[in-house]
Amino acid sequence: MRHAMSIEPTPTSIHRAADQGTTPSSPYLEIRDLWKSYGDFVALRDISLGIGKGEFVCFLGPSGCGKTTLLRAIAGLDLQTRGVIWQGGRDISILPASKRDYGIVFQSYALFPNLTIEQNIAFGLENTGRSKAEVAARVAELLETVGLSAHGKKYPAQLSGGQQQRIALARAIAISPGLLLLDEPLSALDAKVRVHLRHEIKALQRKLGVTTIMVTHDQEEALAMADRIVVMNHGVIEQVGSPTEIYRHPKTLFVADFIGETNQFPARVLPDGQVEIGHSAFCCPTDGFAAGAATTAVVRPVDIIPHGAEAHAVHSLDRPATPQNLIDAEVHVMEFLGMFWRTRLTAPRLGDRTLVADFSVNAVRRLRIETGGVIQVEIPRERLLLYPRGI
Amino acid sequence: MSIAIDYAPPARRLRQQASRDDLVKLGFMAVIGLYLIVALGAPLFVMLSKSLSTYRFDLSAFEFQVSDETGANWATAVTADALNKELGVVAKKDLATNSDGRLAVTKFFPQFNFRSPVHYRIRGVTDDAAFLVGSTLEKGTAWREYDSAAFRRVVLRPASSLGIENFKTYFSTPALARSIYNSVLMASISTVVTVSIAFALAYALTRSCMPLKGLFRGILTIPILVPSLLPGIALVYLFGNQGVFRDWLMGYSIYGPIGIVIGSVFFTLPHAFLIILTALSVADARHYEAAASLRASKWRTFTTVTVPGARYGLVSAAFVVFTLVITDFGLPKVIGGQYGMLAVDIYKQVIGQQNFEMGAVVSVILLVPAVLAFAVDRRMQKRQVALLSARAVPYAPKRNVRMDGFCFAFACLVSLFILGMIAMCQIAALVKFWPYDLTLTTKNFAFDLMDGGGWAAYANSIKLALLTAFFGSVIVFAGAYMVEKADGFRFGRSVFHFLAMMPMAVPGMVLGLAYIFFFNNPANPLNSIYGTMTILVVCTVTHFYTVAHLTALTALKQMDPEFESVGASLKQPFHRLFFRVTLPVCLPAILNIGIYLFVNAMTTVSAVVFLYAADTKLASVAVLNMDDAGDIAPAAAMGMMIFYTNVVAKLIHAVVSRGLLARTQAWR
Ligand SMILES: Nc1ncnc2c1ncn2[C@@H]1O[C@H](COP(=O)(O)OP(=O)(O)O)[C@@H](O)[C@H]1O
Ligand SMILES: [Mg+2]
């Protein structure tokens, strides 16, 4: 489970750092004020982003949000409408693809069907002044790296999807590019292979230290692999940050909703760090909201803490609960999802709205939570997030 | 938070730095685009303007002065118009002429005598007024003086103007205008008959378990391998004045509509059959299962599942057949008798009467149905593709003795028709005098003794076919590659694609005539290719460009569009990717284009009939000319030579394809 109980730095301080989208040292790849339109349709809107050397960055967002478009602009395959791109201290904004420095892996792999695996990998090495022996040695080394040494003489069609994927990767890194671009490299594979390859790609990237951008619409993939995630929606960057930042402190409702699950309630801001949900007040950080503001309050199912059947049974916690955020709720539905129980609760204090909460197997056993029972749960003060309504 | 700017900032469009590849590609595209403009766009444009050009002697544009016998004193100037009004030497209707028209000026001077010492002056009233002195062209408003001997050689040239006069003339000539009706009628009847037969055959091949399906498929494609003249010749032998089965026609003559329809069905059947076969082959078995589970009757299944499924195929086939028949020239030339058809009219106007403007008018009229059919067909094709892309479960027919037997019998009947026609030509080519003297002979193959070009024509045809296949494949594939794979230059690429699609809508006769207008003009720097093998190759490649282009495009579209991106990211020049990957992967398609062009170059008559010269006579044209001269048996023999050649070419193609595939396509 992904929820650590420690108290995080306040969201706002992180947001400010992420706003700049820069890492401490001067970035290896820098995108400034980049726009891309197709006719009247704006696919990318004022994108600014910095990526440090050796970083593994994921572009994450729903399908059609412009991830591929941004990647292709970086690659010089689809020129941006305006905006500048710097790579390694060089302005590459209008360079043709062949003059930039990157390797790319497409979702389809785009392996040359009539060339053997070896010939595919060697394609970018030949014609570059290397001797035949050097090329052969490099190909052997790369095959070794991706663990497919036995398959060098085969044709792509004779390999499985996962193997083809690794060949495409080997071909892309053959010329030791400064930047590795991966466009949904795992989406065509089945779930098992996908998880396995995640680790392999990540390990390879660490080993080579190559700056990498991976496009994906799979949040789990992004959370598991990326050093930093760029969450995109409708052609704009919603948030940039590390996986934990993105997950625990989503800067917008969209990010909160897209990454992980959420309960959402209409809420009105009260004075003194409180909000009104349903007809009762809850404590939560209200920085930046005026009293009376209409907001959406968000809490993740995993963040809800069960306190068992008896009132005020707040033992075993290393931290006192805010009494105001404790509510009684009736368990309506319990669904066993393997690693945890997903429950649907209704609480009078929330105006009888359904509250989805995920409880560990352990907690359910210990607190004897069962369908039809009434339990007390806590919505932790700092895990109740507010967003302006209607966005 | 999303930034709420909903407008793009003022556009200062970036332009990508052109790489060397881009420049090379741009250059290639320009070359091939130029080829299509020179080989297609410009000739058609010239033809169109010819059809709208009318020529007329404008008598009021010329002025004369006559001297007395001393040659020193001149009478007042007078226009030719005034002289003609006074004398009435040229009737009004005779003033209309064609681009070659000449009018002797001495007509206007009844006292003219070339030995007289009288001098004459002539000048134009306008700058364009032109006249010839001998063969020297004079123009303009300056007076020119000639003695009587020279004045005898002065002729006026007509003024040209744009207008629809030619079309008016056309439609007021009943014999010509009637051809429109005839052509449409013949094309309609042939379409209905051909599509019905083709559908029945395709149905038999896809929905029954009859035996010998492969053999029938082979037989049904035979007509593609012979010129459309050949069924005409076969019909002459079977049902003509000496035909064995003449009585079957119950007194009607084969020369005319009957012959045209039977012959058209013969040569269009393979085209319709292949289109409908494709449409029926993609039928979804699930629909049939659904129909069966609903206990639908056979007939109901047929009308609610089979026919709608093949709908686009049927419409497409109908338009293809219609276009083929209405634009075909060879068949009606041989078997049409006095029955006027548009394509033959063009030939008669141009070759028979040297009336090029009228030929252009008929061409423009012939373009209308062809372009219409083409436009509708393209729309249908698009929908057919949409239908195809749905994942269908192929239908596997079940045994049914009665149905299978019926299908088999029908396929045999049609095969008999096709083989019978070919066999008739074969027999006619081998016997002394069908049907009276059936002793075998090779005299009909002694082409050198007949008009038409002899064996040299046959050699020329093979040369043309090989050159067309080679250069055609290269040009077509390179062009399709640019359309599909070059990025940027979007406008150029769509213009190019449009040009590449046009030849489909341009009948061969029209193309040939347009070539005369365009290339046989001394002012054209390309005039030197007129009358050479080069123009025949150019014309044939252009004539059959579209189907070849679409074949190449289909093959290229099946390749991953990211190959080029990968190549660029690996910093490889595009030609390396092209030769290492694109070309090898597309090789089967290229070979198909080659054989398609070869076969068509061997059989085509319509475009080249206007363009061959004494030393570039062709086998297919020889068939036409020998038939015209009454040497029908040698014509049949030459037609069979074309057939053999195509069969051999097809076999070689099959062997080469298989060999190459085994060597270069191990990955498949
Ligand atoms: N060539 C194009 N012409 C017009 N619209 C395009 C083109 N390419 C992409 N788009 C649009 O741009 C948006 C972003 O596309 P893309 O970057 O491919 O999304 P994704 O995030 O799924 O990779 C989509 O709405 C898509 O329809
Ligand atoms: Mg994408």
Side-chain angles (χ1 to χ4, degrees):
Chain A
M1 298 242 42
R2 219 179 273 118
H3 66 278
M5 283 297 160
S6 64
I7 294 171
E8 301 281 336
T10 59
T12 39
S13 66
I14 288 173
H15 293 172
R16 216 153 286 134
D19 260 347
Q20 262 75 69
T22 51
T23 47
S25 59
S26 148
Y28 172 69
L29 184 79
E30 186 168 14
I31 297 163
R32 249 186 285 131
D33 310 328
L34 188 128
W35 293 70
K36 171 77 188 182
S37 12
Y38 293 108
D40 281 343
F41 176 75
V42 182
L44 292 176
R45 196 181 288 273
D46 202 19
I47 300 284
S48 291
L49 181 68
I51 294 174
K53 193 152 185 73
E55 235 189 328
F56 193 118
V57 169
C58 273
F59 292 171
L60 175 65
S63 170
C65 72
K67 308 177 297 284
T68 299
T69 307
L70 181 54
L71 196 78
R72 292 178 71 87
I74 295 170
L77 298 172
D78 275 323
L79 194 70
Q80 68 275 20
T81 312
R82 57 173 302 172
V84 289
I85 306 173
W86 288 72
Q87 181 184 355
R90 190 163 67 118
D91 182 356
I92 59 163
S93 311
I94 55 165
L95 288 186
S98 55
K99 294 221 175 108
R100 303 190 184 193
D101 176 22
Y102 68 92
I104 190 162
V105 175
F106 292 100
Q107 189 174 353
S108 61
Y109 315 142
L111 293 176
F112 306 132
N114 62 321
L115 303 185
T116 62
I117 300 309
E118 283 175 350
Q119 289 169 330
N120 262 285
I121 298 178
F123 194 83
L125 298 169
E126 290 159 2
N127 235 9
T128 52
R130 291 178 174 84
S131 74
K132 272 216 163 85
E134 278 175 293
V135 170
R138 176 85 177 122
V139 169
E141 180 194 335
L142 286 159
L143 277 172
E144 180 79 46
T145 310
V146 296
L148 289 171
S149 297
H151 301 283
K153 299 274 185 272
K154 288 187 182 167
Y155 289 95
Q158 295 167 296
L159 299 188
S160 72
Q163 290 171 326
Q164 292 184 21
Q165 210 283 328
R166 282 185 278 178
I167 298 304
L169 195 60
R171 183 179 62 183
I173 59 176
I175 53 170
S176 310
L179 181 63
L180 183 58
L181 304 177
L182 312 169
D183 190 356
E184 312 234 3
L186 303 175
S187 65
L189 302 172
D190 49 33
K192 257 234 165 92
V193 184
R194 198 151 59 196
V195 173
H196 176 67
L197 271 178
R198 254 187 225 168
H199 295 295
E200 285 206 358
I201 291 178
K202 182 72 190 170
L204 183 65
Q205 190 264 341
R206 282 230 182 82
K207 191 173 121 195
L208 299 174
V210 58
T211 313
T212 302
I213 300 175
M214 183 172 105
V215 163
T216 178
H217 63 262
D218 181 342
Q219 43 138 336
E220 227 181 280
E221 209 165 276
L223 291 169
M225 297 173 78
D227 297 328
R228 258 184 339 138
I229 296 177
V230 177
V231 185
M232 297 177 61
N233 190 30
H234 292 312
V236 298
I237 293 181
E238 293 267 337
Q239 186 172 1
V240 181
S242 71
T244 41
E245 278 165 18
I246 297 274
Y247 187 80
R248 295 192 59 79
H249 304 289
K251 220 174 62 164
T252 64
L253 186 56
F254 169 80
V255 176
D257 199 35
F258 188 72
I259 311 222
E261 320 249 341
T262 54
N263 290 289
Q264 296 183 17
F265 305 106
R268 205 162 55 83
V269 178
L270 304 173
D272 312 324
Q274 297 193 29
V275 287
E276 185 186 54
I277 301 173
H279 294 296
S280 41
F282 292 83
C283 288
C284 88
T286 56
D287 313 9
F289 290 100
T295 61
T296 300
V298 169
V299 62
R300 292 197 188 282
V302 289
D303 287 334
I304 294 166
I305 304 170
H307 286 242
E310 340 66 284
H312 306 296
V314 197
H315 342 286
S316 70
L317 284 173
D318 51 1
R319 157 189 76 80
T322 318
Q324 225 177 341
N325 286 17
L326 286 170
I327 53 174
D328 291 324
E330 186 187 336
V331 181
H332 262 274
V333 182
M334 290 183 72
E335 201 183 347
F336 183 53
L337 294 181
M339 305 210 290
F340 59 91
W341 286 87
R342 170 149 298 174
T343 61
R344 286 172 186 280
L345 317 169
T346 47
R349 275 191 63 203
L350 290 172
D352 282 332
R353 285 192 176 78
T354 301
L355 177 69
V356 179
D358 293 345
F359 299 141
S360 71
V361 180
N362 200 344
V364 168
R365 193 173 335 111
R366 191 162 38 80
L367 300 172
R368 292 196 197 85
I369 299 173
E370 54 194 20
T371 313
V374 174
I375 57 169
Q376 193 176 50
V377 296
E378 182 197 351
I379 300 175
R381 179 184 171 279
E382 67 284 357
R383 302 306 311 140
L384 189 57
L385 308 171
L386 293 187
Y387 299 98
R389 180 130 13 120
I391 294 206
Chain B
M1 201 114 318
S2 60
I3 300 157
I5 304 177
D6 256 55
Y7 55 89
R12 186 180 55 84
R13 272 215 173 272
L14 294 176
R15 293 203 70 130
Q16 195 148 23
Q17 244 178 44
S19 64
R20 242 192 74 208
D21 276 5
D22 291 337
L23 297 179
V24 174
K25 283 186 194 172
L26 191 62
F28 262 109
M29 201 149 85
V31 168
I32 297 178
L34 199 67
Y35 169 85
L36 279 181
I37 289 173
V38 168
L40 184 68
L44 284 180
F45 178 79
V46 172
M47 191 196 72
L48 197 66
S49 63
K50 276 283 173 191
S51 76
L52 294 173
S53 301
T54 49
Y55 292 90
R56 204 181 164 76
F57 295 112
D58 182 6
L59 296 184
S60 58
F62 298 96
E63 272 187 340
F64 299 102
Q65 273 188 312
V66 188
S67 77
D68 61 12
E69 308 229 326
T70 65
N73 305 305
W74 294 89
T76 49
V78 55
T79 64
D81 192 37
L83 289 171
N84 194 38
K85 280 207 179 102
E86 197 184 303
L87 301 164
V89 281
V90 187
K92 198 158 181 189
K93 73 170 178 32
D94 292 334
L95 290 174
T97 178
N98 59 27
S99 56
D100 253 0
R102 273 140 224 245
L103 184 63
V105 288
T106 48
K107 279 198 178 147
F108 300 110
F109 302 94
Q111 294 88 15
F112 175 80
N113 182 333
F114 68 95
R115 291 204 192 90
S116 140
V118 171
H119 281 219
Y120 294 84
R121 279 179 181 169
I122 174 171
R123 69 161 190 169
V125 174
T126 62
D127 283 333
D128 316 324
F131 56 94
L132 291 171
V133 186
S135 56
T136 345
L137 185 72
E138 301 284 1
K139 243 180 170 177
T141 52
W143 283 109
R144 288 185 184 74
E145 192 176 324
Y146 302 101
D147 61 23
S148 289
F151 193 62
R152 188 173 56 159
R153 293 167 48 224
V154 174
V155 288
L156 302 183
R157 295 284 283 132
S160 81
S161 60
L162 282 183
I164 54 165
E165 285 306 313
N166 295 330
F167 286 86
K168 280 190 187 150
T169 314
Y170 178 86
F171 284 105
S172 59
T173 315
L176 287 176
R178 187 159 177 86
S179 294
I180 298 181
Y181 173 77
N182 289 350
S183 283
V184 171
L185 183 70
M186 288 300 100
S188 306
I189 296 176
S190 306
T191 302
V192 172
V193 177
T194 305
V195 171
S196 309
I197 297 177
F199 180 76
L201 283 170
Y203 186 85
L205 253 72
T206 54
R207 299 286 187 275
S208 85
C209 288
M210 69 176 196
L212 302 179
K213 284 184 183 175
L215 180 68
F216 286 126
R217 272 183 80 133
I219 292 173
L220 284 169
T221 48
I222 284 180
I224 290 181
L225 306 180
V226 301
S228 63
L229 300 152
L230 210 66
I233 291 172
L235 288 173
V236 169
Y237 275 113
L238 288 168
F239 304 104
N241 294 337
Q242 270 102 45
V244 247
F245 303 119
R246 198 177 155 208
D247 298 340
W248 291 14
L249 294 178
M250 294 176 296
Y252 291 102
S253 168
I254 193 72
Y255 298 98
I258 300 179
I260 293 176
V261 169
I262 300 178
S264 296
V265 170
F266 176 86
F267 88 88
T268 58
L269 192 59
H271 301 273
F273 169 70
L274 290 176
I275 294 172
I276 299 174
L277 189 70
T278 312
L280 282 181
S281 305
V282 301
D284 195 331
R286 287 171 300 188
H287 293 156
Y288 286 87
E289 280 158 17
S293 70
L294 293 171
R295 299 188 192 290
S297 71
K298 279 258 154 61
W299 177 247
R300 226 181 119 66
T301 310
F302 179 79
T303 52
T304 56
V305 178
T306 309
V307 174
R311 187 171 55 221
Y312 297 128
L314 284 173
V315 174
S316 191
F319 278 106
V320 167
V321 172
F322 188 90
T323 315
L324 281 172
V325 175
I326 208 167
T327 60
D328 182 55
F329 156 73
L331 182 70
K333 179 79 179 63
V334 172
I335 200 84
Q338 298 305 307
Y339 197 74
M341 296 277 281
L342 286 171
V344 182
D345 282 350
I346 299 180
Y347 183 74
K348 283 188 187 155
Q349 289 296 328
V350 172
I351 302 291
Q353 310 186 6
Q354 297 284 311
N355 189 343
F356 290 87
E357 282 74 32
M358 199 48 77
V361 168
V362 185
S363 295
V364 171
I365 289 167
L366 192 53
L367 264 176
V368 174
V371 169
L372 268 182
F374 167 76
V376 176
D377 182 55
R378 288 310 300 161
R379 294 191 66 133
M380 287 295 156
Q381 291 280 336
K382 279 197 183 123
R383 296 204 212 165
Q384 173 81 40
V385 169
L387 210 68
L388 260 169
S389 47
R391 297 212 178 274
V393 179
Y395 173 78
K398 295 193 186 62
R399 283 208 172 282
N400 176 335
V401 175
R402 254 186 64 195
M403 159 91 176
D404 294 351
F406 191 75
C407 288
F408 185 70
F410 182 70
C412 284
L413 199 68
V414 177
S415 300
L416 193 70
F417 165 64
I418 291 172
L419 293 177
M421 299 275 262
I422 298 287
M424 184 65 246
C425 286
Q426 181 63 83
I427 293 168
L430 286 177
V431 301
K432 275 206 174 122
F433 190 42
W434 172 269
Y436 305 113
D437 182 354
L438 298 183
T439 40
L440 291 178
T441 173
T442 57
K443 81 172 167 63
N444 293 327
F445 287 87
F447 300 128
D448 288 336
L449 303 178
M450 339 255 169
D451 278 347
W455 281 101
Y458 176 70
N460 280 337
S461 262
I462 293 201
K463 196 167 146 199
L464 171 68
L466 287 174
L467 289 171
T468 303
F470 179 76
F471 288 106
S473 305
V474 171
I475 294 172
V476 166
F477 192 75
Y481 179 81
M482 295 306 154
V483 168
E484 183 59 24
K485 298 291 177 187
D487 32 35
F489 340 120
R490 194 162 309 157
F491 176 73
R493 276 157 64 201
S494 45
V495 169
F496 187 94
H497 184 63
F498 176 77
L499 279 173
M501 296 306 294
M502 247 167 59
M504 180 90 104
V506 179
M509 299 300 287
V510 177
L511 191 67
L513 185 56
Y515 270 41
I516 299 185
F517 289 137
F518 186 65
F519 289 105
N520 189 20
N521 175 357
N524 185 332
L526 293 171
N527 179 237
S528 60
I529 72 166
Y530 191 75
T532 65
M533 184 55 91
T534 310
I535 196 171
L536 294 178
V537 174
V538 169
C539 177
T540 311
V541 169
T542 311
H543 188 180
F544 299 104
Y545 198 96
T546 307
V547 171
H549 177 73
L550 289 174
T551 308
L553 218 51
T554 309
L556 286 166
K557 273 190 201 297
Q558 281 166 357
M559 307 223 333
D560 194 318
E562 308 296 11
F563 283 169
E564 276 64 31
S565 307
V566 168
S569 80
L570 295 174
K571 303 185 175 35
Q572 297 296 323
F574 87 98
H575 56 80
R576 196 154 169 263
L577 183 71
F578 181 82
F579 287 114
R580 288 267 341 249
V581 179
T582 315
L583 204 57
V585 171
C586 292
L587 200 58
I590 297 173
L591 290 176
N592 286 343
I593 293 172
I595 189 71
Y596 167 82
L597 290 174
F598 184 94
V599 166
N600 277 297
M602 283 303 293
T603 57
T604 188
V605 184
S606 54
V608 292
V609 76
F610 289 137
L611 301 173
Y612 70 89
D615 56 346
T616 55
K617 285 179 177 162
L618 298 172
S620 52
V621 179
V623 177
L624 179 78
N625 287 341
M626 289 193 283
D627 174 78
D628 231 12
D631 294 328
I632 308 184
M638 186 64 102
M640 290 313 288
M641 285 309 299
I642 296 176
F643 173 62
Y644 303 144
T645 312
N646 279 336
V647 170
V648 171
K650 279 264 189 193
L651 288 177
I652 293 176
H653 169 253
V655 171
V656 169
S657 291
R658 197 165 289 179
L660 271 179
L661 286 192
R663 253 184 348 122
T664 63
Q665 315 261 318
W667 48 277
R668 274 189 202 270

